[in-house]
Amino acid sequence: EVLGLIGPNGAGKTTVFDLISGFQRADGGRVVLEGADVSGATAHERARLGLGRSFQSARLWPSLTVREALATGLEASVEVRAALPAMLNLPLVRDSEERVMDRVDELLELLGIGAWADRFVSELSTGVRRMVDLGVQLANEPSVLLLDEPSSGIAAKETEALGPTLKAVQRHLGCSLLLIEHDMPLVRSLADRLVALDTGTVVAEGRPDEVLSHPRVVESYLGEGWAATP
């Protein structure tokens, strides 16, 4: 499913992401991923087990091209890691690299960023950088993907394309999406369910229209001018 997490600034949304992904240690409770208790696992261990996460600002390598950044994200799938075979350019190394490049081409097509494949990350617009960041996460084929405000800082036209892209990503991977988002039309169009937080407490949970019309959510977050119907 796609689960949306909404609420005013300071409600605890990013803290929830930090707890789930292992960047912050929980005082209590458990984090269970694919049936396994990962509460004691580090962030990188959880990533290896299928948990992907993006941040509000894309954390990428500015001196790499888009193609190189996506290939770096595929590091876990590299079959030949020893330096000597690579130095000798052995056939098994070339085959491994070709498979990585084939996967990069798939990601470029899926995200619609093929036109920027050979541009440096530092040259990209915010919207394209977010797509590249998403591609790096997808390279690990996560079973659960956490997206922290994917529409933040991008143009309205790019936001319109973001919803269908995220739906395509979910279908392609068969993964669950948990997203924090302040763009209500976007989150309503994407989410199967919403959870609304206020000062660290769940105040409403359910279908998007139910949550967006909840009196506590309207009062603490949306404001009286919000119309819960399209």
Side-chain angles (χ1 to χ4, degrees), residues 122-161:
S122 60
E123 300 174 337
L124 304 176
S125 69
T126 301
V128 178
R129 281 202 306 273
R130 288 198 176 278
M131 287 295 101
V132 178
D133 182 40
L134 180 58
V136 172
Q137 300 303 321
L138 298 182
N140 285 315
E141 299 187 350
S143 56
V144 178
L145 181 58
L146 312 183
L147 301 175
D148 197 346
E149 297 191 34
S151 73
S152 177
I154 68 176
K157 185 176 181 179
E158 293 172 322
T159 300
E160 291 175 5

Side-chain angles (χ1 to χ4, degrees), residues 30-125:
R30 297 188 303 149
V31 178
V32 178
L33 178 64
E34 295 288 331
D37 189 337
V38 298
S39 306
T42 63
H44 75 269
E45 288 170 341
R46 297 183 196 198
R48 291 288 191 189
L49 292 170
L51 183 65
R53 178 184 177 178
S54 71
F55 294 82
Q56 289 183 27
S57 56
R59 300 186 176 189
L60 295 166
W61 308 273
S63 60
L64 296 185
T65 66
V66 170
R67 192 183 301 277
E68 290 167 343
L70 294 176
T72 302
L74 286 159
E75 178 271 338
S77 64
V78 173
E79 298 166 4
V80 182
R81 298 174 178 274
L84 184 58
M87 291 172 59
L88 297 174
N89 196 26
L90 296 181
L92 73 165
V93 175
R94 294 198 299 272
D95 291 344
S96 175
E97 291 178 348
E98 286 176 5
R99 282 189 283 274
V100 168
M101 287 300 109
D102 287 344
R103 180 70 177 125
V104 167
D105 288 338
E106 290 178 12
L107 291 170
L108 290 169
E109 182 178 357
L110 175 65
L111 297 172
I113 53 175
W116 294 272
D118 297 312
R119 297 281 294 274
F120 290 109
V121 168
S122 60
E123 300 174 337
L124 304 176
S125 69

